[in-house]
Amino acid sequence: MPAEHARFSPSSADRIIHCPGSLLLGEGIPETESDAMREGTEAHAWAEYELLRAYGEPPEDLPVKGEFHSEEMEYCARDYAAYAMEKVSALKEECGDVLLLTEQRLLFTNWVSDAFGTSDCVILSGRKACLIDYKYGRGHIVDAEQNAQLQCYALGLLQTFGDLYDFDSISMCIFQPRREHVSEWTISVPDLIKWGVEVLQPAAVQAMNGTGEFHEGDWCWTCRAKYRCAKRAEANLELARLEFREANLLTDEEMEDVLDRADRIAEWAADVREFAFQQALGGKVWKDWKLVEGRSNRRYTDEAKAAEAVKAEGLDPYEHRILGITDMEKLLGKKRFSELLKPYVEKPKGKPTLVRSSDKRASITL
């Protein structure tokens, strides 16, 4: 996958639109590659391989099986490929010839200077186009509707292929297999261009000129300065005033204020702790905090030899249990799994959980 990054990248668009000041604030802070990022890179390599194979243009070599490789990674990649091929088939039936491109670089410099991104999957056909973004992470659920990252890709698609295709609309899809989440949204080309001119351009100008304001929100998790941003700290510490009130004296409005910020406060606290931890690993000495050796559990240095030693005693060193449903479905394949085990599988009702009213799941009637 391309290692080059634009100053204004599609993945940061939502944050910059809401918090233009964050662009310059984060530019002096080096980006650290997390385990999640490395895992995502591997997952995308497998996804691209499986998609090209399904499309009939398989790469010569398999992706490298790196430190995060797993059967789940390959299984999700095949699911992604099947989903994308459904889109290919639908467009082919409706519009005729179809062109599929993977890891396609898209410039949208007509709207933002020095701006480009790389789309996981682009499908072009007649007057319609489809963009698919593969999200392998288990964290934030991402929706396609009004998604700034995908709209930047869509603008790039217009700029890159607009002379070859006369698009009426562009469909944008999020495929997030480990959250069992698929989201789709279509925007007309006039509405897309209007968003680019009225929303994206002004925010980008403010961000690059250093005249943008700072605003805390759900977008903070993509910011390099999230660990030490004063605006983020100020917003989250506002709730400290409620710590001195008994819970049963809070008004309904105050309770909803706490609920609205609870997840962001937890993320902020975790980010600050992780930053301090990494600094300590690098040699920084904090006044009231120190590094210590954490708890650990015993483990076998050689499982095979340990098992043989137990077998020599006439005992069985292994536990035997049926595979979990996900692993069993991988073993049998979805179709055969359904044919063979459908009578023996159920999906019980989930435990009630409190979520925002914007959540698409139906409310529980008590």
Side-chain angles (χ1 to χ4, degrees):
M1 297 176 66
E4 185 182 2
H5 295 283
R7 186 184 183 198
F8 189 114
S9 65
S11 61
S12 64
D14 182 63
R15 170 173 52 80
I16 293 173
I17 288 170
H18 287 95
C19 180
S22 66
L23 179 65
L24 295 186
L25 185 67
E27 283 192 333
I29 302 174
E31 184 175 17
T32 56
E33 189 178 36
S34 65
D35 285 349
M37 293 171 66
R38 289 192 292 272
E39 182 183 50
T41 298
E42 285 190 39
H44 276 75
W46 278 100
E48 182 185 19
Y49 170 81
E50 291 292 350
L51 178 52
L52 289 174
R53 190 167 70 88
Y55 188 58
E57 298 179 359
E60 294 182 1
D61 301 317
L62 279 170
V64 175
K65 293 185 177 182
E67 60 177 317
F68 297 101
H69 173 265
S70 66
E71 289 186 5
E72 180 186 33
M73 184 176 288
E74 293 188 36
Y75 182 76
C76 289
R78 289 192 292 271
D79 260 6
Y80 162 72
Y83 171 77
M85 290 308 297
E86 289 177 3
K87 296 299 179 186
V88 169
S89 298
L91 281 177
K92 186 177 293 184
E93 183 176 342
E94 182 179 355
C95 305
D97 292 338
V98 170
L99 175 64
L100 181 145
L101 302 168
T102 63
E103 297 301 318
Q104 177 63 43
R105 180 182 169 114
L106 300 169
L107 283 78
F108 52 104
T109 50
N110 289 346
W111 291 270
V112 181
S113 62
D114 186 30
F116 64 86
T118 303
S119 176
D120 297 330
C121 177
V122 174
I123 308 171
L124 309 173
S125 180
R127 300 177 72 86
K128 295 187 176 182
C130 179
L131 293 162
I132 305 176
D133 197 41
Y134 183 59
K135 303 289 189 185
Y136 188 67
R138 292 184 184 275
H140 299 259
I141 287 181
V142 184
D143 287 316
E145 185 172 354
Q146 302 290 346
N147 185 291
Q149 179 181 7
L150 292 186
Q151 288 182 94
C152 286
Y153 288 147
L155 290 173
L157 190 149
L158 289 181
Q159 181 172 328
T160 305
F161 297 101
D163 292 336
L164 302 175
Y165 294 85
D166 188 17
F167 299 119
D168 289 330
S169 63
I170 298 175
S171 296
M172 290 166 271
C173 311
I174 297 288
F175 190 81
Q176 201 168 0
R178 293 203 290 176
R179 294 302 303 266
E180 298 182 352
H181 177 70
V182 176
S183 179
E184 302 176 353
W185 184 61
T186 299
I187 188 172
S188 69
V189 168
D191 284 345
L192 174 64
I193 293 174
K194 180 180 179 182
W195 176 83
V197 172
E198 296 182 0
V199 178
L200 183 65
Q201 274 186 336
V205 170
Q206 289 183 357
M208 292 184 176
N209 290 342
T211 58
E213 296 182 352
F214 297 91
H215 299 282
E216 181 267 351
D218 291 335
W219 47 85
C220 290
W221 70 277
T222 68
C223 184
R224 295 183 188 181
K226 63 184 178 182
Y227 309 103
R228 308 193 81 161
C229 174
K231 192 68 175 182
R232 191 183 184 204
E234 176 188 336
N236 285 302
L237 289 173
E238 281 182 3
L239 286 182
R241 63 187 174 84
L242 300 179
E243 291 183 2
F244 305 102
R245 300 268 302 279
E246 295 182 23
N248 60 355
L249 294 180
L250 292 176
T251 66
D252 287 352
E253 289 75 15
E254 288 172 329
M255 285 291 290
E256 292 208 11
D257 188 29
V258 173
L259 291 171
D260 188 52
R261 292 183 175 275
D263 290 341
R264 295 214 294 267
I265 291 173
E267 282 190 8
W268 171 65
D271 287 340
V272 171
R273 178 178 288 274
E274 177 63 18
F275 176 80
F277 173 66
Q278 293 297 333
Q279 291 286 297
L281 287 178
K284 180 177 178 62
V285 178
W286 296 99
K287 178 183 176 182
D288 294 321
W289 295 82
K290 64 181 180 180
L291 287 175
V292 298
E293 187 174 298
R295 292 184 59 189
S296 64
N297 296 317
R298 295 177 297 171
R299 64 185 182 187
Y300 297 114
T301 57
D302 190 320
E303 289 189 0
K305 289 183 178 179
E308 288 301 320
V310 175
K311 285 180 181 178
E313 293 293 309
L315 300 172
D316 183 0
Y318 298 104
E319 60 179 0
H320 300 276
R321 60 186 180 90
I322 191 170
L323 289 174
I325 287 179
T326 300
D327 289 332
M328 189 70 78
E329 191 174 53
K330 293 176 186 176
L331 177 67
L332 296 172
K334 282 189 174 181
K335 183 178 179 181
R336 187 56 180 155
F337 174 88
S338 180
E339 294 171 346
L340 195 64
L341 299 181
K342 187 176 180 180
Y344 314 114
V345 175
E346 68 173 359
K347 187 173 183 180
K349 290 185 177 181
K351 183 179 179 181
T353 183
L354 189 65
V355 299
R356 296 177 188 269
S357 58
S358 59
D359 192 288
K360 295 181 180 180
R361 287 170 289 184
S363 298
I364 296 174
T365 302
L366 300 176

